[in-house]
């Protein structure tokens, strides 16, 4: 990763008009405190994001997505032993339980969102590549509605801007990026960069030993397959076909969107696994495999 | 894959001026009869392709790339048994040795190019993601020059346009695309679509059983790792950094290029494995693992 130019995107604070409304609706429907990097980047290209969100919103407002995301979150736990508890090294750095609690709360919000964003980007990716993003032969009936709006007790998230980061934090974000062969730091790691001691220990002990190993790749593939299977069962397409995308984008914008959706799909797969594993390091497999904010039928 | 709009690209026949010169130089230096789909698509975005090719051309004109491509080609052979010989089913369809010879010649040209294009897109991908595409601590001295121009006896290639294809061929190209989770058919499969009987048997018996299996994914990852290792050893950067890309593209064009390079890198990994496997099905592991057009020092 370069410390150079920022990847083009429309950040939440910069969004206006229909895009701001769309960003707010995404956060309210998914019940998360941030808009995925993918959507912020895609927002640069024509009217894709608002139109694609209009296609996705109906199914994302139902329990079908809540249950699918629950399944993906559980599947994202790597097999094998738990990672070492970062508290041991962190205690030596004076990083105590009060700050661990801040990290835990951020991870809970991120884990709640990542699995849903994986479903969203998979629907958009399948759609723009000309495959079914719902409404096909295996589609089910529309699911029951689920609540909207940020869950009680979910932490607000703050993302460090890599351009404003000090040398140590910039170095950690470069390390994250290059370790995954990404093009830049994800929202999730920009959040964790608020706690550089935690991020460094996580990279050394929790993520570094597993990222891009065969076991990690196998879970990424399994997550992709399951995400696709869930999307195919959506009652109606949650993505735009190339023809539909051309109604809101130029031809080259559709090409750009196609490339970026593919890139960010892999990106979100990685980050989903990583954040689940950070939670596993702090609180064990059970906590990692579920979201405290998931709504279950009474 | 959709039978809908064609993915934006500048085909060889449509290219003019500096882009046509660049296309001709790519073909002459790599000694192949086609320009990769990735470059034709990237050509839509500002001045990226000519500038990135100027960075890459010096090392691609040397034996260092010839040897690296040889190694990647050999690595692309999947472990396990040879695929079934397609001749048995093809003979029943009246598809004889004369047409097998046409397919073999096309595959030889494609195999010669794919491994080199994998190196090229990996250099471009690493560069635009801010990592070294040569010239780093592990870089070597410039290699000896290699010959340029199409090798004697290399077949010309003709690509079927999916929009002009009949129902059967269009269906086969959709099958190829969806089997790989691609966004459209590669140059290689558009070439094989000239022989729909061969393509159908190859999809049924040679590729269908292996594509996206754990063994296939493992080889794709190994190819990527080796391609990156070769690129890091290039004597000078063969790709553009984000800052360099911004000299020839707008910010959004750089984002588009970043996404498309990532998408096409995986695309070329898949196609490299596939074409090698088709040659293996016809002529065995030894023929698949090498290129008859590779130039060896005397």
């Amino acid at each position: 990763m370069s410390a150079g130019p920022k990847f083009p995107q429309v950040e939440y604070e910069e969004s206006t008009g229909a895009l701001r409304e769309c960003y707010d609706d995404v956060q309210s429907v998914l019940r998360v405190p941030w808009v995925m990097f993918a959507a912020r980047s895609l927002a640069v290209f024509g009217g894709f994001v608002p139109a694609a969100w209009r296609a996705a919103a109906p199914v994302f407002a139902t329990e079908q997505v809540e249950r699918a995301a629950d399944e993906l979150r559980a599947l994202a736990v790597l097999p094998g032993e738990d990672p070492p508890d970062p508290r041991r090294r962190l205690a030596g750095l004076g990083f105590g339980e009060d700050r661990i609690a801040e990290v835990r709360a951020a991870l809970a919000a991120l884990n709640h969102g990542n699995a849903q964003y994986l479903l969203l980007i998979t629907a958009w990716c399948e759609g723009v590549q000309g495959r079914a993003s719902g409404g096909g032969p295996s589609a089910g009936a529309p699911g029951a509605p689920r609540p909207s709006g940020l869950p009680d007790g979910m932490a607000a998230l703050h993302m460090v801007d890599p351009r404003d980061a000090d040398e140590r934090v910039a170095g950690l974000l470069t390390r994250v990026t290059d370790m995954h062969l990404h093009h830049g730091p994800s929202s999730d790691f920009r959040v964790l960069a608020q706690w550089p001691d935690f991020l460094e220990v996580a990279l050394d002990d929790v993520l570094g030993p597993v990222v891009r190993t065969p076991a990690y790749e196998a879970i990424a593939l399994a997550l992709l397959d399951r995400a696709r299977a869930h999307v195919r069962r959506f009652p109606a397409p949650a993505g735009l076909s190339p023809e539909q995308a051309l109604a809101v984008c130029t031809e080259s914008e559709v090409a750009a969107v196609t490339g970026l959706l593919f890139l960010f799909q892999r990106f979100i797969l990685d980050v989903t696994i990583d954040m689940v594993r950070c939670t596993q390091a702090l609180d064990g497999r059970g906590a990692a495999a579920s979201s405290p904010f998931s709504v279950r039928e009474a």
Side-chain angles (χ1 to χ4, degrees), chain A:
Chain A
M1 176 214 162
S2 153
K6 189 176 179 186
F7 203 73
Q9 59 192 292
V10 184
E11 297 259 24
Y12 180 86
E13 296 71 23
E14 301 159 350
S15 65
T16 55
L19 186 63
R20 168 62 73 92
E21 284 174 33
C22 172
Y23 278 6
D24 282 334
D25 197 46
V26 167
Q27 295 190 114
S28 171
V29 168
L30 303 191
R31 315 187 75 212
V32 295
W34 89 104
V35 175
M36 63 176 174
F37 186 6
R40 303 195 309 266
S41 289
L42 293 166
V44 172
F45 297 98
F48 181 82
V49 169
W53 175 246
R54 275 194 298 278
V59 67
F60 277 81
T62 69
E63 290 198 337
Q64 186 174 358
V65 160
E66 190 96 14
R67 292 291 80 75
D70 286 347
E71 190 208 303
L72 295 178
R73 226 174 270 119
L75 184 60
V77 182
L78 295 177
E81 288 184 17
D82 284 348
D85 188 332
R87 283 184 191 79
R88 289 175 216 145
R89 274 184 64 194
L90 286 170
L93 300 167
F95 193 98
E97 282 297 331
D98 52 333
R99 311 206 66 198
I100 293 283
E102 293 172 9
V103 173
R104 177 185 291 115
L107 288 170
L110 294 165
N111 283 327
H112 191 67
N114 288 334
Q116 297 183 73
Y117 278 134
L118 178 56
L119 289 162
L120 183 59
I121 201 153
T122 298
W124 288 359
C125 205
E126 291 291 295
V128 88
Q129 296 195 350
R131 289 185 290 276
S133 59
S138 63
R146 60 171 178 162
S148 65
L150 272 198
D152 287 341
M154 184 177 271
L157 296 178
H158 171 70
M159 294 178 207
V160 171
D161 187 328
R163 294 169 305 176
D164 303 332
D166 64 27
E167 197 175 344
R168 179 186 180 203
V169 169
L172 289 169
L173 289 175
T174 298
R175 193 172 152 204
V176 166
T177 300
D178 293 348
M179 171 190 290
H180 290 91
L181 311 186
H182 288 168
H183 66 297
S186 64
S187 304
D188 300 60
F189 283 106
R190 286 176 56 195
V191 169
L192 291 188
Q194 293 173 94
W195 304 281
D197 288 336
F198 179 83
L199 180 53
E200 183 161 357
V201 172
L203 293 183
D204 286 348
D205 300 341
V206 178
L207 302 176
V210 297
V211 168
R212 302 191 74 244
T213 58
Y216 187 95
E217 294 298 317
I219 290 293
L221 274 181
L223 276 172
L224 173 59
D225 283 342
R226 286 305 300 157
R228 293 184 67 233
H230 283 297
V231 162
R232 282 196 298 276
R233 276 189 228 119
F234 285 170
L240 303 183
S241 69
E243 294 81 355
Q244 290 172 320
L246 281 171
V248 288
C249 290
T250 65
E251 280 196 356
S252 350
E253 284 170 345
V254 173
V257 164
T258 304
L260 287 169
L261 282 171
F262 189 88
L263 175 150
F264 276 111
Q265 186 181 44
R266 175 67 213 216
F267 190 91
I268 295 178
L269 284 165
D270 293 338
V271 175
T272 300
I273 298 170
D274 291 353
M275 294 302 124
V276 161
R277 191 157 180 87
C278 286
T279 293
Q280 186 184 0
L282 289 179
D283 295 316
R285 183 172 298 262
S290 62
S291 168
F293 302 112
S294 176
V295 178
R296 293 244 153 226
E297 287 172 274

